[in-house]
Amino acid sequence: MMESVGVYGFCGCKAKNKMKCDSKWEISASETAPTSAYSSPARSLGDTGITPLSPSHIVNDADPDVSEQQSFLVVVAIDFGTTSSGYAYSFTKEPECIHVMRRWEGGDPGVSNQKTPTTILLTPERKFHSFGYAARDFYHDLDPNEAKQWLYLEKFKMKLHTTGDLTMDTDLTAANSKKVKALEIFAYALQYFKEQALKELSDQAGSEFENSDVRWVITVPAIWKQPAKQFMRQAAYQAGLASPENSDQLIIALEPEAASIYCRKLRLHQMIELSGKTAVNGYSGRDTVGAGFAQAKEHIRRNRQSRTFLVENVIGEIWSELEEGDKYVVVDSGGGTVDLTVHQIRLPEGHLKELYKATGGPYGSLGVDYEFEKLLCKIFGEDFIEQFKIKRPAAWVDLMIAFESRKRAAAPDRTNPLNITLPFSFIDYYKKFRGHSVEHALRKSNVDFVKWSSQGMLRMSPDAMNALFKPTIDSIIEHLRDLFQKPEVSTVKFLFLVGGFAEAPLLQQAVQAAFGDKCRIIIPQDVGLTILKGAVLFGLDPAVIKVRRSPLTYGVGVLNRYVEGKHPPEKLLVKDGTRWCTDVFDKFISADQSVALGELVKRSYTPAKPSQLVIVINIYSSEHDNVSFITDPGVKKCGTLRLDLTGTSGVAVPARREIQTLMQFGDTEIKATAVDIATSKSVKVGIDFLNY
C-alpha cells in the first residue's frame, strides 16, 4: 500500500513526520466500479467527498450493539454436502444431546442413511417435487421419455465453488440439459430441510414448533470465496430460515471449524488413531458423569425414534493433551472439496484461533467418480457416454449408484474383484448406438483390468479401483505437504481427518504413510457426521471461535495530496486549486490478518465541504495485500454506505462534523456502519459480493 500523505491543514495534526500523520481525504466514489487502471471513479463526482477528522484504528472485543443475542429454544444445523446432506439439532436446555434426523426413507444397501443424497427433482413445470432418496427413486421410476421432461439435479453444490463470477442469476444445468436458477434450487433444498426439521421438532414437542424458536446453522467449506458464502445466506433468506432484519438467526459455519469444535469433545472410545491401527478403547461406560448427562440419557430413553448422540460437557482425552499454543490441522474431506484448516488452542477457556488461512481445493470424492467416467469413456467412447447421459438420464444415475456402493468397498488390502452392475438400458442402448455388444467393446478397449461378467456386470480388479482413487488422493497429499512446509504448521501435534471421504481406507492409509511421522492422525468413529454435530455445538456457543484470518483485504477509496514523480499522472485531480491523487485504496484490514470475533475497525471523517448533505463511502475488497488503488486489478466494490444528512439543518453541528465509520469483522458476515455523531443518524450495510 502507498505511504499515506498528511493533509495537515484539515486534520489539525502538528506532526512533522508524514508517517506519523495518517490523514487522508475520503472521496465519495462513483457508483460504477472501475473498468480499467486508467478510469477514475472520482473524476465524475460533483461533490468534494469527506476527509478524516482524526485517523483511528480502534479494536474492541465486541460491539455492544451486536452482543445482545436472541434466545432460541433449539439449534438446527444443516450439513449441505456435495454428495449427501443432513440435519441435526439440540435443545438449548439440553446441550448434551445432539439429535440426528430420523432415518431417511429409501437408501442403498451397505450405505448408512443418516444422510440423504443431495439430489433435487422439479416437475416439468419447474415446481419443487422431492429431495434426496425420494427424488432419486421417483426419478428412477419415471418412464424414460417422461423423465426427459423433469428437472433432476445432483452434486450441484460444487457450482458455487467453481463459478468465478457468481451472481444471484447464476444457472445450474439439470440432467435433461435444461437451465434453472441456482438460487432457486438452493432455496428449495433449504426450505425442504426447514420443513422436515420443524415437523420433527413439533412431533417431539407435541405442539407446533415455530421457525422463530430456531437458530439455524448452515455449513460451508472454509475455502469458498466470500460470494459463495453470501449466496448460501441469500438462499436461506429466500427459504425463510431467517431474514436480513434478523440475520443473527442464521449462522454460516465453516466446515473444518465445526469439525474442530466436535473433536474437542471426543473421548477415546469415539475415535481411531491410525498409528495405533486399532480403535483406542480407554473409556469405560461405567465412568461417572454429571447429573445433567444422566438427564440426557433419560431424554434418549423417552425419544427412541430419534437418533441421539451424547456430548459430555468435558474436554476429550486427546484434547486434554493440548497445551496453550499447541497447533493441529483439520482435514475435512468431503464429496466436492477438501478443506485444510490450522487451529491453535487458547487456554484457559479452550477457545480456538485460526492460525493459517484455510486452503484446499476440489479434491473430494467426486474426483473418483470423474475417474470412473473417464474409464467408461475410454472403453465405450466419449460420444456414447455423453449421449447415454442425455438419452437415458435415470439409467446413468443408476449406474453411478452402483459404482458408489462398490467404491466404498475399495481398500488397500482387498484381493477379490469388485462387480459393478450395468443397467439393462446401458447394454441395450450401446448395441443400438454402436451395432455391437458391450462385451465386444471391452475386448477391443485393451483395458485389461476391467472384464465382462455374463451376469451383466463390469468386473474391476482391486488395483483398477484403487487407480481411480489415486489422482484425487495424490492431490490431497500434495496439498498437505505444501501446508506442512509453512512455518506456522511445522509443529502440529494432531491431524484430524474428517468428512465423508475420510471413511475411505485408501485415503486413511495415504495420510498415515505421508504424515504419521510428523503428527498423530485421528479419525472420529462417526466421521461422516463430525461436521454436522460440530455445527450444532457451534450454534449453541458461537463464541468458541475467537480469531479468524481475514480472507480479503478491505478498504475505501481516498484522496491524497498529489506528489509529482510518486503518483501516476493519470490519477491527478485538481479541485479548487488543490492537486489530489485520486482512487487511493485506504486499507481497513489486510488479507490473512488475524481478526477477533466482533472486532471493530473505526474511522472518523468530516465532510470536506460543510454544506455537503449526502455522504457516500464505497467499500472495496481484494484478495491481494499490496493494493495501492481501487482501480488495481482484482479490486472489487462490495458495499456502499450512503448517509443522508438532509433535514438536520436545525441541529447544532460543530465546525467539523464527525462521521464515524465502523466495520465489524470476525463472523462469516461482515457489516459496515456510518454514524453522524451530531444527530445520531446512521446507516448500515452488509458487505455484498453478489450485486456489484
Side-chain angles (χ1 to χ4, degrees), residues 265-556:
K265 304 281 189 181
L266 286 174
R267 304 303 299 265
L268 287 175
H269 70 292
Q270 295 171 308
M271 65 184 80
I272 298 165
E273 185 166 357
L274 283 189
S275 53
K277 296 188 174 59
T278 56
V280 182
N281 294 310
Y283 172 75
S284 163
R286 293 187 297 276
D287 284 5
T288 58
V289 290
F293 204 55
Q295 288 176 340
K297 287 183 175 176
E298 179 58 33
H299 185 86
I300 292 170
R301 281 194 285 275
R302 293 198 309 271
N303 295 280
R304 289 291 182 188
Q305 76 274 27
S306 173
R307 294 185 52 75
T308 303
F309 291 83
L310 302 174
V311 181
E312 297 181 54
N313 191 23
V314 296
I315 296 296
E317 288 97 335
I318 286 280
W319 210 266
S320 64
E321 294 181 32
L322 288 169
E323 298 170 355
E324 173 78 38
D326 277 349
K327 308 164 191 174
Y328 60 96
V329 179
V330 177
V331 181
D332 170 21
S333 325
T337 54
V338 166
D339 248 348
L340 313 176
T341 306
V342 185
H343 280 155
Q344 188 174 39
I345 196 82
R346 297 176 72 188
L347 299 175
E349 301 92 348
H351 290 141
L352 308 181
K353 175 182 179 180
E354 186 181 8
L355 198 64
Y356 186 76
K357 66 183 178 185
T359 62
Y363 319 130
S365 62
L366 276 187
V368 186
D369 298 353
Y370 293 144
E371 289 299 317
F372 178 61
E373 190 175 326
K374 277 162 63 178
L375 178 64
L376 292 176
C377 288
K378 186 176 179 183
I379 297 170
F380 303 107
E382 195 173 334
D383 55 341
F384 166 72
I385 295 298
E386 287 307 310
Q387 278 302 302
F388 179 70
K389 285 162 96 175
I390 294 165
K391 300 291 186 186
R392 301 286 188 274
W396 174 255
V397 171
D398 288 347
L399 174 55
M400 292 312 291
I401 292 167
F403 173 69
E404 177 69 27
S405 67
R406 304 320 295 142
K407 181 173 85 175
R408 288 170 181 269
D413 51 356
R414 189 182 175 97
T415 54
N416 54 323
L418 298 110
N419 296 330
I420 299 161
T421 304
L422 283 183
F424 172 74
S425 60
F426 185 101
I427 299 165
D428 181 57
Y429 189 69
Y430 184 79
K431 192 161 180 69
K432 289 175 183 171
F433 190 88
R434 289 274 191 251
H436 54 76
S437 69
V438 163
E439 189 177 0
H440 179 261
L442 271 162
R443 279 202 307 271
K444 273 186 64 183
S445 70
N446 296 322
V447 178
D448 297 333
F449 44 76
V450 181
K451 306 293 184 191
W452 176 247
S453 159
S454 56
Q455 284 85 28
M457 291 182 286
L458 296 176
R459 288 174 64 82
M460 289 186 73
S461 72
D463 287 346
M465 178 62 86
N466 294 0
L468 299 182
F469 281 77
K470 192 174 187 309
T472 303
I473 290 176
D474 285 353
S475 295
I476 295 170
I477 299 300
E478 184 182 349
H479 208 90
L480 267 167
R481 279 210 176 97
D482 289 345
L483 185 67
F484 271 86
Q485 297 300 316
K486 311 289 181 195
E488 304 95 319
V489 190
S490 57
T491 55
V492 297
K493 222 171 194 182
F494 297 112
L495 184 153
F496 291 99
L497 191 58
V498 303
F501 194 28
E503 295 172 1
L506 290 166
L507 177 59
Q508 294 178 6
Q509 184 199 50
V511 171
Q512 173 61 27
F515 306 104
D517 60 339
K518 291 183 172 63
C519 57
R520 290 166 66 186
I521 295 159
I522 309 291
I523 305 175
Q525 286 202 328
D526 50 351
V527 64
L529 295 174
T530 300
I531 290 157
L532 189 52
K533 295 184 211 167
V536 174
L537 295 171
F538 187 37
L540 291 165
D541 180 19
V544 68
I545 302 287
K546 282 295 184 192
V547 180
R548 282 200 182 96
R549 295 271 169 170
S550 176
L552 297 173
T553 297
Y554 293 95
V556 293

Side-chain angles (χ1 to χ4, degrees), residues 551-555 585 591 620-625 627 633-636:
L552 297 173
T553 297
Y554 293 95
F585 186 98
Y620 296 87
S621 67
S622 171
E623 291 182 12
H624 307 292
D625 181 28
V627 184
V635 177
K636 295 177 182 174

Side-chain angles (χ1 to χ4, degrees), residues 23 234 300 365 435 466 480 609 645 660:
S23 304
Q234 293 299 325
I300 292 170
S365 62
N466 294 0
L480 267 167
K609 194 192 292 183
L645 302 180
Q660 195 174 76

Side-chain angles (χ1 to χ4, degrees), residues 550 554 588-589 595-601 663-667 670:
S550 176
Y554 293 95
F588 265 65
I589 204 158
V595 186
L597 189 73
E599 180 172 332
L600 292 174
V601 179
M663 284 185 76
Q664 184 192 2
F665 297 91
D667 198 355
I670 298 163

Side-chain angles (χ1 to χ4, degrees), residues 171-182:
D171 287 327
L172 296 173
T173 305
N176 61 1
S177 302
K178 289 183 180 176
K179 303 276 189 192
V180 61
K181 290 275 176 282

Side-chain angles (χ1 to χ4, degrees), residues 89-90 95 114 284 470 633:
Y89 58 93
S90 178
Q114 293 166 326
S284 163
K470 192 174 187 309

